[in-house]
């Protein structure tokens, strides 16, 4: 299934994309798409339905973040060997983990703010996944059983806040709007192998990033197992798995960064596309 949330910000309704690409309203069946959806039997109930019997959603509604009420937004850094090289970093021996504030979560096509004083706002197309059941001390072999679904993420980053100011990466990752997720949450049964997916990102129509999840240093199963050794992962938690090469910071001969008025378009194979206009905060 391709689950989604549509409508005005903070008033989103649950929906599903049918086989013809039509949005169908799920609000008569479930209240929202959150961690509770994955643990209370709602997914199983939805899987048994004929979506063509549900009401069509009229017009072209705003698409919101594909999961609501997110408890944790966890990110993995330097997880593609070629991206680590362009950043001048040695590939890590174990996953680099940082947090992104949940207030950064944004709809996939909402405007993205360039923070005040920012000179180095950058882009990062990433494969994201959403936890479907409580995970603690999980082994790699069973780790994918804990995934509810997958989604496209743009891990927008302010590089000077991230790396040139004291403290943790979180400061450069957490500005409002810096976490577009969606458009859809594609349930795990439709993504049998998350390590064979193409990723891409354009700025004003110019291709900047091209990659494939096969070149991840740490695959999705390893990430889940690793995280679960240090924290309990709860249903609805979002994890973003790192970006392939082509970020603005790594551009040669000189880095390039986003400016107000530019448009970023990105996607992950089978998981949908995002389009964001950059605006000044």
């Amino acid at each position: 299934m391709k689950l989604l949330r549509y409508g005005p910000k903070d008033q989103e309704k649950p929906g599903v994309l049918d086989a013809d690409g039509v949005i169908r309203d799920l609000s008569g069946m479930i209240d929202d798409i959150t961690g509770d959806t994955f643990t209370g039997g709602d997914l199983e109930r939805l899987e048994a339905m004929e979506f063509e019997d549900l009401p069509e959603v009229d017009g072209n509604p705003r698409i919101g973040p594909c999961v609501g009420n997110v408890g944790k937004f966890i990110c993995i850094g330097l997880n593609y060997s070629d991206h680590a090289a362009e950043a001048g970093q040695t590939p890590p021996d174990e996953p680099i983990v940082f947090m992104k504030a949940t207030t950064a979560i944004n709809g996939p096509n909402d405007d993205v703010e360039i923070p005040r004083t920012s000179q180095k706002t950058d882009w990062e197309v990433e494969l994201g996944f959403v936890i479907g059941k409580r995970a603690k001390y999980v082994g790699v072999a069973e780790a994918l059983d804990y995934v509810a679904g997958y989604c496209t993420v743009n891990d927008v980053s302010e590089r000077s806040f991230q790396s040139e100011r004291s403290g943790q990466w979180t400061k450069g990752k957490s500005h409002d709007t810096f976490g577009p997720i969606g458009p859809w949450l594609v349930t795990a049964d439709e993504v049998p192998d998350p390590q064979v997916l193409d990723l891409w990102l354009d700025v004003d129509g110019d291709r900047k990033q091209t990659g494939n999840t096969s070149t991840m240093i740490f695959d999705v199963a390893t990430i889940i197992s690793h995280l679960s050794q240090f924290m309990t992962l709860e249903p609805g938690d979002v994890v973003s798995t790192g970006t392939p090469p082509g970020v603005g910071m790594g551009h040669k001969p000189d880095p390039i960064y986003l400016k107000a008025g530019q448009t970023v378009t990105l996607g992950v194979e089978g998981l949908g596309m995002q389009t964001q206009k950059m605006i000044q905060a």
Side-chain angles (χ1 to χ4, degrees):
M1 291 183 293
K2 291 181 173 66
L3 300 172
L4 57 92
R5 301 169 69 245
Y6 69 94
K9 184 177 174 61
D10 299 325
Q11 301 177 42
E12 292 91 349
K13 295 181 179 181
V16 63
L17 199 71
D18 71 16
D20 296 321
V22 175
I23 298 175
R24 301 282 180 165
D25 180 25
L26 287 177
S27 59
M29 307 300 300
I30 57 176
D31 294 331
D32 200 352
I33 297 167
T34 68
D36 291 341
T37 308
F38 313 133
T39 58
D42 286 336
L43 273 187
E44 292 79 2
R45 192 157 52 91
L46 294 176
E47 287 170 350
M49 292 183 57
E50 296 292 336
F51 297 138
E52 289 72 15
D53 296 334
L54 295 171
E56 290 188 24
V57 175
D58 294 330
N60 186 29
R62 169 188 174 268
I63 303 299
C66 59
V67 61
N69 197 28
V70 174
K72 293 191 287 296
F73 194 170
I74 308 166
C75 298
I76 307 299
L78 296 177
N79 196 29
Y80 288 71
S81 56
D82 35 12
H83 172 54
E86 75 172 352
Q89 302 288 329
T90 301
D93 294 326
E94 62 178 62
I96 294 173
V97 179
F98 62 93
M99 309 297 283
K100 203 172 180 85
T102 55
T103 48
I105 292 174
N106 209 27
N109 303 314
D110 292 344
D111 293 342
V112 168
E113 292 182 354
I114 295 179
R116 298 174 186 177
T117 76
S118 168
Q119 299 296 321
K120 298 182 178 181
T121 298
D122 206 347
W123 56 82
E124 294 191 17
V125 59
E126 304 197 3
L127 168 68
F129 63 87
V130 178
I131 294 295
K133 58 182 180 179
R134 193 171 186 269
K136 184 175 183 178
Y137 295 121
V138 171
V140 173
E142 67 268 22
L144 293 184
D145 295 340
Y146 290 80
V147 177
Y150 298 88
C151 61
T152 301
V153 176
N154 187 359
D155 176 22
V156 187
S157 308
E158 211 300 336
R159 301 302 187 187
S160 61
F161 296 177
Q162 176 185 352
S163 302
E164 299 168 16
R165 306 281 290 270
S166 61
Q168 300 178 340
W169 285 9
T170 302
K171 293 196 322 192
K173 300 284 190 172
S174 293
H175 186 79
D176 293 353
T177 75
F178 267 25
I181 59 173
W184 316 311
L185 178 65
V186 181
T187 51
D189 59 296
E190 293 195 10
V191 187
D193 185 356
Q195 305 308 145
V196 295
L197 305 178
D198 290 330
L199 307 86
W200 59 273
L201 181 144
D202 295 347
V203 178
D204 290 339
D206 184 19
R207 182 61 46 95
K208 299 298 186 184
Q209 288 188 274
T210 302
N212 188 281
T213 57
S214 62
T215 64
M216 280 184 184
I217 299 169
F218 305 104
D219 62 17
V220 171
T222 299
I223 291 169
I224 294 169
S225 178
H226 181 80
L227 291 173
S228 76
Q229 311 306 307
F230 302 100
M231 66 188 81
T232 298
L233 302 175
E234 297 285 359
D237 287 349
V238 176
V239 182
S240 199
T241 61
T243 197
V247 298
M249 176 180 63
H251 184 267
K252 301 295 188 291
D254 299 307
I256 54 175
Y257 296 107
L258 292 166
K259 296 179 174 58
Q262 291 188 297
T263 299
V264 174
T265 309
L266 62 144
V268 179
E269 181 182 356
L271 305 184
M273 188 175 80
Q274 304 182 353
T275 300
Q276 297 123 23
K277 182 179 179 181
M278 301 299 115
I279 62 171
Q280 191 64 50

